[in-house]
Amino acid sequence: MKKTVESEQAVYNLYDRPPLLPFIGLSLQHLFSMFGATILVPLLVGLDPAVALFASGVGTLIHLLTTHGRVPAYMGSSFAFIIPMVSMMKTVGYSAVGQGVVSVGLCYLVIALIVSKAGTAWIDKIFPPEVVGPVIMVIGLSLAQTAAESGTQINGQYDMRAFIVAGVTLLVTIFCNFYLKGFLGLIPVLLGIIIGYICALLFGLVDFSPVVQADWFSLPHFDFFFAGSAKHAAHFYPMAMLTMMPLVLVTLSEHLGHLLVLKKVTGHDFFKDPGLSKTLAGDGLASVFAGLVGGPALTSYGENIGVMQLSRVFSVWVIAGAACFASIFAFIGKLAALIRSVPGAVTGGVGLMLYGVIAAAGIQVMVDNRIDYGKKRNLLIAGPVLVVGIGNFHLQLLSEVDFSGVAIATVLGIVLNLILPKESK
């Protein structure tokens, strides 16, 4: 029997099942929050967005099953593998991309097996509060520029309409979260998106033509790495695997960071229950499935963690509902097209809130643990971690392997914590 996790601040705890109407609204709120980023990756790479949406939904359900329904994490398209995937799509096609994505998932499964044997006692040693706090801040603030650009630019040019729409979306989200009660108070992000969408419609920022042209039922263009294509025959591509597997270090750091944020937000230690090996295996199996059907590699999404922190709804049932909606909407052309019509100004406005509350969770970690920044050691850990992560001081090896600033900042925080003595000389 599952151990019930209770949080005094939660509206719905991890294993609570909301009534039907709140359940639908809360699930759609998560779907809208992750939708933009999840379909952006396949659009940049050259994959079918409907396949990516379907893979994210089924991948999330796989993750939930693997973790025995204990972790409220939504799996979306990973940005870490865009560069090698774009290169391979232009040269050898999806056969190579699919093999790379599957190899990423298998790599996660191997790491999960190692963790299951080694245990997780090392986590507390390498991730004390003085490291956790700045890393969580970096996870949120590293996305700040993306939100700001989406909320101020249209086609790469500054546009006052985008600024107004993003501002309205942000203010409505804040107002609804602070003043509304009952069911409406649980869906501030969804309400912000709806009002922002209406505002964008008035400014002429919404293109309805794809919605009109889309079919009601549309089968996603599933691709299989063993089937080849019209241009490229199916082959075994070891270089595709060797190119993408090192980037697992990037998504692994994201995985650990998101679990740390979830631990802070929900009050539940997911490193112990269900265990890091289970969460890693869930990530791995989700990516294996995505690679088998023609989607990109998957990873947990900070946007959905921000939604949970804002709404105080931690229910795994809601995450499962969002996953089911994503899987179904992938086959309903008009609904998928309608969601795709949400302009960047709206998602940017929501991002200004969601990424900020993640960063605020990092500040709370430091406040709760009374981290003293009068001590030189704490200052010398937090300072470089924040600047490296937020400034995206990244490491690019060759043309396809690029370690993000978040990954470098996480590793830097761990290393500094291990090598710096408790007291400066």
Side-chain angles (χ1 to χ4, degrees):
M1 185 175 179
K2 292 179 182 178
K3 179 182 177 183
T4 302
V5 178
E6 299 291 340
S7 172
E8 295 180 357
Q9 296 180 333
V11 178
Y12 292 106
N13 278 293
L14 285 179
Y15 311 132
D16 293 342
R17 187 189 305 180
L20 182 60
L21 182 59
F23 172 77
I24 293 174
L26 293 168
S27 297
L28 289 175
Q29 181 170 243
H30 275 285
L31 175 66
F32 275 93
S33 298
M34 68 83 202
F35 189 90
T38 288
I39 68 167
L40 178 60
V41 172
L43 288 175
L44 294 175
V45 173
L47 305 177
D48 185 356
V51 174
L53 184 63
F54 176 76
S56 76
V58 177
T60 299
L61 294 175
I62 291 174
H63 190 276
L64 285 169
L65 290 173
T66 308
T67 57
H68 307 299
R70 283 172 161 84
V71 183
Y74 193 92
M75 308 298 295
S77 305
S78 174
F79 283 77
F81 305 95
I82 286 180
I83 295 176
M85 287 195 297
V86 169
S87 176
M88 285 184 279
M89 283 296 290
K90 291 179 178 178
T91 54
V92 291
Y94 189 78
S95 291
V97 173
Q99 291 177 32
V101 172
V102 170
S103 70
V104 166
L106 295 177
C107 193
Y108 259 94
L109 293 176
V110 171
I111 296 172
L113 180 62
I114 295 172
V115 170
S116 69
K117 302 297 182 183
T120 57
W122 51 274
I123 293 174
D124 291 333
K125 183 177 180 180
I126 68 171
F127 280 119
E130 53 267 34
V131 175
V132 171
V135 167
I136 292 177
M137 288 182 66
V138 161
I139 290 172
L141 295 179
S142 64
L143 298 168
Q145 184 177 359
T146 301
E149 288 179 354
S150 297
T152 56
Q153 297 181 9
I154 298 176
N155 297 325
Q157 300 294 324
Y158 185 88
D159 196 305
M160 182 59 70
R161 295 175 299 170
F163 178 87
I164 295 173
V165 170
V168 168
T169 304
L170 173 63
L171 293 176
V172 168
T173 304
I174 294 173
F175 177 86
C176 293
N177 188 67
F178 200 81
Y179 289 104
L180 297 186
K181 296 180 180 180
F183 170 60
L184 294 179
L186 299 178
I187 54 171
V189 176
L190 181 58
L191 293 175
I193 291 174
I194 292 173
I195 300 301
Y197 188 88
I198 295 173
C199 182
L201 190 61
L202 296 175
F203 278 109
L205 299 182
V206 179
D207 181 11
F208 267 123
S209 57
V211 181
V212 175
Q213 296 169 5
D215 296 325
W216 278 106
F217 176 81
S218 177
L219 186 67
H221 178 67
F222 294 110
D223 208 340
F224 304 97
F225 72 82
F226 51 80
S229 65
K231 294 182 179 179
H232 307 284
H235 286 291
F236 177 59
Y237 297 99
M239 277 307 299
M241 301 180 183
L242 293 175
T243 299
M244 292 184 66
M245 280 169 44
L247 293 176
V248 168
L249 294 174
V250 178
T251 53
L252 182 61
S253 67
E254 291 177 349
H255 182 92
L256 294 174
H258 288 168
L259 285 182
L260 291 169
V261 181
L262 279 172
K263 177 182 177 182
K264 177 59 190 172
V265 170
T266 66
H268 181 75
D269 191 348
F270 299 100
F271 290 104
K272 296 179 180 178
D273 179 29
L276 181 60
S277 61
K278 293 285 195 305
T279 64
L280 288 171
D283 269 38
L285 290 174
S287 284
V288 168
F289 174 80
L292 291 175
V293 299
L298 302 177
T299 187
S300 54
Y301 262 26
E303 288 90 336
N304 298 90
I305 298 174
V307 169
M308 282 186 278
Q309 187 172 3
L310 204 61
S311 64
R312 313 308 299 176
V313 174
F314 311 140
S315 172
V316 293
W317 290 94
V318 171
I319 296 296
C324 290
F325 279 129
S327 304
I328 294 170
F329 285 4
F331 292 87
I332 304 176
K334 287 194 180 296
L335 283 176
L338 180 64
I339 300 176
R340 281 200 297 271
S341 70
V342 176
V346 175
T347 57
V350 171
L352 293 173
M353 169 60 70
L354 297 182
Y355 305 147
V357 297
I358 294 174
I363 297 174
Q364 190 174 356
V365 167
M366 295 182 285
V367 172
D368 291 347
N369 290 276
R370 299 181 179 180
I371 304 301
D372 183 5
Y373 283 102
K375 292 184 177 180
K376 188 178 293 186
R377 183 179 189 276
N378 295 337
L379 197 62
L380 294 180
I381 291 176
V385 167
L386 290 172
V387 175
V388 167
I390 298 171
N392 193 27
F393 182 72
H394 59 109
L395 174 63
Q396 184 170 329
L397 303 175
L398 304 176
S399 60
E400 288 130 353
V401 181
D402 195 342
F403 295 91
S404 68
V406 174
I408 300 297
T410 303
V411 173
L412 179 61
I414 293 171
V415 172
L416 290 175
N417 173 64
L418 294 176
I419 66 174
L420 290 179
K422 295 297 181 183
E423 298 292 338
S424 61
K425 294 183 180 180

